[in-house]
Amino acid sequence: MVENNVLIRTINDCPGMRVVRVIGPVYGTSVRSRNIVSNFLGGIRTVFGGKQSGYLKMIAQTREDALAQLAEHARSIGANAVLGMRFDSGEFDAGQGAGHE
C-alpha cells in the first residue's frame, strides 16, 4: 500500500528495495465514536443479531484515518516508507468514570 507517497508494509523488509536509514518509530492514531441514535439502533440490532454495518463502516474509516496519519507522521520526519506496520485496536469508556487513559 502507498499512502500519499509513503510505502507502508506489514513485513519487516521490502524485496527489491534497500533500507538505507532507520529513522525511528512512527504512529497513526484515530479515535471515533457514534452518535447516541446510532448507538441505540446498534444496540437494538445486537438483540436480534446480524451484521452491524454502521460499526463496520466506522471501523474501516478509523483504519483509513490511522493509516493517513501514520503516513503523514512518517513524511514529517523524512521517511519514505514504513516497515512492520501493525494495527492495534482497543476501546475505552470516555466519560464513564475517572482514571481512564
Side-chain angles (χ1 to χ4, degrees):
M1 153 183 282
V2 176
E3 181 79 30
N4 296 323
N5 299 324
V6 174
L7 180 68
I8 300 174
R9 295 284 185 257
T10 57
I11 57 178
N12 293 328
D13 57 5
C14 194
M17 302 185 104
R18 185 171 53 101
V19 175
V20 295
R21 181 170 58 126
V22 175
I23 298 174
V26 290
Y27 307 94
T29 305
S30 184
V31 177
R32 289 186 173 264
S33 65
R34 296 188 70 192
N35 66 46
I36 193 164
V37 173
S38 295
N39 278 336
F40 177 74
L41 294 175
I44 290 173
R45 285 187 196 108
T46 300
V47 171
F48 297 104
K51 189 190 310 190
Q52 298 286 325
S53 61
Y55 287 114
L56 291 172
K57 288 177 189 174
M58 184 178 68
I59 289 167
Q61 185 60 54
T62 303
R63 281 191 188 130
E64 290 301 315
D65 291 349
L67 281 171
Q69 193 177 73
L70 175 71
E72 178 58 34
H73 185 204
R75 201 174 22 262
S76 76
I77 62 172
N80 64 352
V82 174
L83 300 178
M85 187 280 296
R86 300 290 184 265
F87 279 114
D88 186 20
S89 64
E91 156 181 345
F92 64 94
D93 272 337
Q96 299 299 312
H100 294 284
E101 294 190 31

